[in-house]
Structures are given as structure tokens and as C-alpha cells.
Amino acid sequence: MGRVEEELVKLAKSMKLRTGALGLGDDCECLKLTNSFLCANVDGFRAKDVKMEFMDLRDVGWRGVIASLSDLVAKGARPLASSFSVYSNSIEGIKELSEGALEAIREYDLIFMGADSNKGEDAIDVFSIGTAKKPIPIGGAKVGDSLVIPRGCWGCVSTCLRGEAEGEILEHCKRPRIRIELVDVIEEFADFIHASSDSSDSLAITLWRIASSSKVRIDLFDVPKPEEVSLEDALFSGEEYLPVFIIENDVAEEFAKRIGGIVAGKVSEGEGVYFRGRLLEPRGWEWF
Amino acid sequence: MGRVEEELVKLAKSMKLRTGALGLGDDCECLKLTNSFLCANVDGFRAKDVKMEFMDLRDVGWRGVIASLSDLVAKGARPLASSFSVYSNSIEGIKELSEGALEAIREYDLIFMGADSNKGEDAIDVFSIGTAKKPIPIGGAKVGDSLVIPRGCWGCVSTCLRGEAEGEILEHCKRPRIRIELVDVIEEFADFIHASSDSSDSLAITLWRIASSSKVRIDLFDVPKPEEVSLEDALFSGEEYLPVFIIENDVAEEFAKRIGGIVAGKVSEGEGVYFRGRLLEPRGWEWF
């Protein structure tokens, strides 16, 4: 959450609005139904801010849906349906953005809930809903918990931006994918997972958000990144569309194994985020 | 639905996506729950396309929420929650757009489901969800039915654009309002209402959409507009945020009375929309 989002949260708080189960400033918001929660997320961007030279507008549309679904999965919500709004100055642009978004909607077997289109700079906003048995807050980390991170393309986007990527890393940058099946494991461990967040702006920023929302210190030891990616990129790149979890220490190893990840750190009293003993700068993607 | 939306519907159809209870090309989409439907709508625009000289960005944000809620109400869905995505090149712009949207969310007692913000031309996309006992399709008009239209600011936006508006008409253009309580009446008459649509692009275009979706002819006799507004504006202006209904003839008068409207026309065999016997041009707001 960057400075602008913080200002929006402050504004919304001052207006005393009705909010849902997770509240202002989390990755998505959930409403209590009879036996479950309905969760919703909105995510969007301009094409010029995410489109790398090897991408077309279809890839941008695809990425819009992924960005939105990823936030749901990180909270333990099973994606159900998506709708979107697209802007372009040409009908061709509207169609390409929409086609990529619809491809992702089909790929993840979602119900398509409609779209709006308008003239403007190429951009897409995606709104997705899902259902959760028990949505995970961002601010629930407890002293003694462990940090679990799935293996994934940590740092890939920075590598792509420098033109150093090929193979799977390039593919991640062009058409990132998410693992919906993580929701099954999350539901199984629901009573032990205390906090989670999707990593959008960077791993460093995500851990800082969890630490400050939970009023704890997080020590990070390792990042389960591809070998070709530098540690620097893995910590500060962003756009991984991967979740991070804070879970009770006793079950952390088992949970890590089940999601294909590692126990990457621990939670203790204090504040801030440390990497191998040194303060980790809260640096990553911010648009203002 | 303009040409671009038609192309999007064609694209989505060709991809054989999963859809909900209303299907592609309606004003919103609904998912069947146990005893009701969850309906969702997305609506958005650039500030430069809707902002008149007497409006600020707060008014644009407000209008985004209204545009989205209006589609839900027209389908008989009770608005429940909204989220939005805003674009601006300044933090001040993001805040103003958000503040107007949040004011509407508070005004209509909705749950705020979160927001995203990005740099770009001033724009807002609003996603709203609601629940319906029985969502009304656009294509269900039957021969012998009547057309019922509520009294409202039909044609006001064209009047404002020409600088001829004052008082209530100016207020409608600046901060349009919708009548959520219509949902109570719609639910009461649910078994008799066969088709409905929100009038966004113009009354003429809206009636054409209902007629062609339902494969019937609609004859319009009158528009319950303010006295100061010309008939031409009332037919072709758009942005009224008012619903129109096709209902069984027997209960049309009673329904019209209850919603504060008039029986404004009838449905017969054939195709097209006629006003006082002459073919009505399907003209209104289209952005390409």
C-alpha cells in the first residue's frame, strides 16, 4: 500500500463508512453470508505502466484478471466471477484488452459478469468476487509465528525489464499465472494461518505491510526465487502475484511443503522487517 | 449498448464463457444463490466525457457510483456494496474523485469494498453488487404488455450541456440521484414485469435495445419529463439514470402510480420503436 492508498484509507476512515469483515486497507474486502464470506477485489492499471516490449494489449488484459484473482487467493477466497472496464482510443485496443481478460476468465473457469468500455488511454480495471470459508486478515501475525512463502517467480519482472529474461521467466512476465488450488490447502490450514497478503508492490513492501498492520517484527531469512534472479530483484521487484503467509510455527513446515514453499522467516516482538539481520528497506513499485 | 459493446458481446459469445442468469449484453449480471441472486455491475468513464463546467471531480466520482447503482435498481436488485478504481495525474485528483464516490456510497448506505488508484487521465470505474429476488431480463417483453416510465429528469443532461439549465435540472446534472426504494415496488410486481433496462445512452436507444432483445415492436406515446425540457432532448439525451419497465397490461396503471410514473407505451408484434406513430431514430450517447 503506497502513500496514495494510505491517504484513501484515511479519507474513508474519516467518513465512517460501512465496511466488511477485513476492513479498510486489506487486499480485498469480505461480507459475511450465512456459512461463508463473499470477497471482492478491484485491481487495475494503464497499459503503459505494465506493458513490456514483448507484450501486447491481450497480455495486459490477461494480467488485469490475474492481479485481481491473486488478491482473492492470498486471502483464502476461491475466485468465482470477474467483470472489467477497459479504456482505449481504438476499437481494436478495446477488443485486444478484452480478449486477454476473457482468456484469463475462461482459463480459471470464472463466470463472466460483464464489461464496460470507454475511450481513453489504454487501461483495464478488473473486479473479481470469490467465496471464503474464513478470510485471512493482513494484521493478524503473532509473536512466535513463522513466515511461509511459496516458490515462484520472485523478482522476475525486474529481470524482464532489464531484458535479461528468457524461458519461464519471460513467460511469467508476459502471462503470469496463479495457483487457484492453493485455496484448498489454505482452507485446510485455516485455523493456523494468522495473516496473509498478496505481493504486488514487492516482497519487501508486503512484509512491511504485514509487520506494521500486526505490530510485530518480521525476520526474513530466504526467498524461494528462481536461480537466475538476483536477490536484490527478488526483494524489491513486485508484480509476482504470489501470496505470503504468517502461520503458527508448529505447522509451518508442513504447510510450506504442501504449498510448494519454504519457511522463510519468523515473527517476533518489535517492529520493522529485517533480512538476515539487517533492516530491509520498504522499497518497490509505487506510482506517485 | 453501442457498437463497441456489441462487438464485446460477440467476442465473449465466441469464447463460450460461463455466464450468469441474465447473460451477455444485459445491464448487469446475476448469479443464483440459494434463495436469491447476487447481481453485479461495472460502469465507468473519463472525467472529460461527463464533467460539465459547473462540476468538479467530486461530482464525477459521485456520478460513477450512481451510474453503477442505477443499473442494479433497473434490474430489481437491491444495492449492497461498491468498490472503485480511480485514475488521475495528481494525488489531489485521486482524492477528489474518491471523495465524491465515497459520499455516494455513504448516501446510499452501501458497504465500501475497497478501491484501487493509478496514475492517468482522470477517470473512475465503479463496481457494485446487489441482491435480487428475481432479476428482470432485457429481452422478456411480450406482445400486449405495456411500457411504464417513471417521472424524472429525462433530457436534463442535454439541457445542461447547452447552458440552459437551473434549479433542479442543474442539480440533476451535477449530482444525479436514484430511487433505491423502487426496488420494493419492483419486488412486489415481480411476477408481472417482463423486461427492464436502465436508460444510460438515451430513452430512444434503451427502447430499441428492449425491442430488439425481445423481438417486438414498442410504441411510445409520451415521456414524463420536466416541462422545461424539450421532447427532442427527452428522447435522445441519455445519462438520466432512470429505469424503464415492460409489464403486463392489467397491472400497468397500478404499477405506474406506485413508482410515480406513467403508462407510456405498448408492446405489439413487429420490430422497432415508434413515437406517436413514426419510427424513432436509435440516437443518443455513443463514444466511438
Side-chain angles (χ1 to χ4, degrees):
Chain A
M1 188 167 58
R3 191 154 61 94
V4 187
E5 271 73 25
E6 272 170 33
E7 296 232 14
L8 283 190
V9 166
K10 214 189 296 173
L11 175 63
K13 273 187 182 157
S14 74
M15 292 178 69
K16 300 190 190 310
L17 299 160
R18 289 172 67 201
T19 55
L22 293 181
L24 299 169
D26 212 314
D27 298 328
C28 74
E29 181 57 292
C30 300
L31 305 179
K32 182 96 178 79
L33 304 178
T34 316
N35 291 311
S36 61
F37 290 84
L38 176 73
C39 298
N41 168 267
V42 54
D43 225 317
F45 32 66
R46 285 190 302 187
K48 74 159 78 160
D49 291 327
V50 300
K51 191 173 160 299
M52 292 174 258
E53 53 175 358
F54 50 84
M55 287 167 67
D56 60 24
L57 287 180
R58 284 180 195 84
D59 299 325
V60 175
W62 170 282
R63 173 174 291 249
V65 175
I66 297 299
S68 170
L69 298 184
S70 179
D71 278 314
L72 290 176
V73 168
K75 302 273 108 182
R78 196 177 299 280
L80 175 65
S82 294
S83 60
F84 56 84
S85 178
V86 282
Y87 290 83
S88 183
N89 285 311
S90 72
I91 295 186
E92 204 44 52
I94 294 285
K95 283 172 72 173
E96 287 180 20
L97 284 161
S98 300
E99 197 169 340
L102 292 171
E103 281 168 13
I105 286 172
R106 187 176 56 187
E107 175 73 22
Y108 291 100
D109 199 25
L110 303 171
I111 296 167
F112 172 49
M113 295 283 276
D116 191 22
S117 64
N118 283 282
K119 201 163 185 165
E121 281 181 293
D122 296 334
I124 182 164
D125 291 306
V126 181
F127 173 75
S128 297
I129 55 178
T131 51
K133 285 193 181 163
K134 188 179 172 183
I136 311 162
I138 190 165
K142 290 187 175 65
V143 172
D145 284 347
S146 286
L147 167 68
V148 171
I149 301 181
R151 266 175 220 97
C153 225
W154 296 100
C156 287
V157 167
S158 289
T159 313
C160 290
L161 280 171
R162 278 200 308 276
E164 293 170 3
E166 49 186 35
E168 280 179 26
I169 293 180
L170 196 66
E171 186 53 31
H172 167 86
C173 292
K174 193 173 159 63
R175 291 256 167 157
R177 303 187 60 82
I178 51 163
R179 291 167 54 206
I180 303 273
E181 74 277 10
L182 283 185
V183 177
D184 296 330
V185 188
I186 295 170
E187 282 183 352
E188 211 178 305
F189 285 80
D191 290 339
F192 308 102
I193 303 173
H194 295 155
S196 69
S197 179
D198 179 60
S199 174
S200 334
D201 298 333
S202 79
L203 179 56
I205 286 180
T206 302
L207 294 178
W208 270 95
R209 286 183 58 212
I210 296 176
S212 69
S213 308
S214 307
K215 299 191 171 64
V216 294
R217 164 178 168 150
I218 296 178
D219 276 87
L220 174 69
F221 306 134
D222 206 357
V223 189
K225 63 174 182 59
E227 263 183 34
E228 308 92 303
V229 172
S230 74
L231 201 49
E232 168 86 8
D233 282 347
L235 292 168
F236 303 115
S237 166
E239 297 190 48
E240 282 91 2
Y241 306 118
L242 287 165
V244 304
F245 300 96
I246 305 291
I247 188 168
E248 276 183 31
N249 186 51
D250 289 354
V251 295
E253 281 293 351
E254 194 193 339
F255 179 68
K257 204 173 145 190
R258 291 286 304 283
I259 66 165
I262 64 168
V263 178
K266 64 167 193 188
V267 178
S268 61
E269 268 184 71
E271 56 185 48
V273 178
Y274 292 76
F275 180 59
R276 294 174 185 168
R278 297 177 68 165
L279 195 69
L280 185 67
E281 216 184 321
R283 176 155 57 85
W285 163 256
E286 175 148 29
W287 61 270
F288 261 122
Chain B
M1 187 167 59
R3 191 153 63 94
V4 188
E5 271 73 26
E6 274 170 29
E7 296 233 13
L8 283 189
V9 167
K10 216 191 295 174
L11 175 64
K13 273 187 181 155
S14 74
M15 293 179 69
K16 299 188 191 311
L17 299 159
R18 290 172 68 202
T19 55
L22 293 181
L24 300 169
D26 213 315
D27 298 329
C28 75
E29 180 58 293
C30 300
L31 305 179
K32 180 96 180 78
L33 304 178
T34 316
N35 292 311
S36 61
F37 290 83
L38 176 73
C39 298
N41 168 267
V42 53
D43 227 315
F45 32 67
R46 287 190 300 187
K48 73 159 80 160
D49 292 327
V50 300
K51 191 173 160 300
M52 291 173 259
E53 55 176 356
F54 50 83
M55 288 167 65
D56 61 23
L57 286 179
R58 285 182 194 82
D59 300 324
V60 174
W62 170 281
R63 173 173 291 248
V65 174
I66 296 299
S68 170
L69 298 184
S70 179
D71 278 315
L72 291 176
V73 169
K75 302 274 108 183
R78 196 177 298 280
L80 177 65
S82 294
S83 61
F84 57 84
S85 178
V86 281
Y87 292 83
S88 183
N89 285 310
S90 73
I91 295 186
E92 204 43 53
I94 293 285
K95 283 172 71 173
E96 288 180 18
L97 284 162
S98 301
E99 198 169 340
L102 292 171
E103 281 168 12
I105 286 172
R106 187 176 55 186
E107 175 74 21
Y108 291 100
D109 199 25
L110 303 171
I111 297 168
F112 172 50
M113 294 285 276
D116 191 22
S117 64
N118 283 282
K119 200 163 185 165
E121 282 180 291
D122 296 334
I124 182 164
D125 291 306
V126 180
F127 301 90
S128 296
I129 55 178
T131 51
K133 285 195 180 160
K134 187 179 173 184
I136 310 163
I138 189 166
K142 290 186 176 67
V143 172
D145 285 347
S146 286
L147 167 68
V148 171
I149 301 181
R151 267 176 219 97
C153 225
W154 296 99
C156 288
V157 167
S158 289
T159 312
C160 290
L161 280 170
R162 279 200 307 276
E164 295 170 2
E166 49 187 35
E168 279 181 26
I169 293 180
L170 196 69
E171 185 55 30
H172 168 86
C173 293
K174 194 173 157 66
R175 291 258 167 155
R177 303 186 61 82
I178 50 165
R179 292 167 54 204
I180 303 273
E181 74 277 10
L182 283 185
V183 177
D184 297 330
V185 188
I186 295 170
E187 284 183 350
E188 210 178 304
F189 285 79
D191 291 339
F192 307 101
I193 304 174
H194 295 155
S196 70
S197 178
D198 179 60
S199 174
S200 334
D201 299 332
S202 78
L203 179 56
I205 287 180
T206 302
L207 294 178
W208 270 94
R209 287 183 58 213
I210 296 177
S212 68
S213 308
S214 306
K215 298 189 173 61
V216 294
R217 163 178 168 150
I218 296 178
D219 276 88
L220 175 67
F221 308 133
D222 206 358
V223 189
K225 62 173 184 60
E227 263 182 38
E228 309 92 302
V229 172
S230 74
L231 201 50
E232 168 85 10
D233 283 347
L235 291 167
F236 303 116
S237 166
E239 298 190 45
E240 281 90 4
Y241 306 118
L242 287 165
V244 304
F245 301 95
I246 304 292
I247 188 166
E248 277 183 32
N249 185 52
D250 288 354
V251 294
E253 281 292 351
E254 193 193 338
F255 179 68
K257 204 173 144 189
R258 292 287 304 281
I259 66 167
I262 64 167
V263 178
K266 63 167 193 188
V267 177
S268 60
E269 268 186 71
E271 57 185 43
V273 178
Y274 292 75
F275 180 59
R276 296 176 185 167
R278 297 177 68 164
L279 195 68
L280 186 67
E281 217 184 321
R283 178 155 55 84
W285 163 256
E286 175 148 29
W287 62 270
F288 261 122

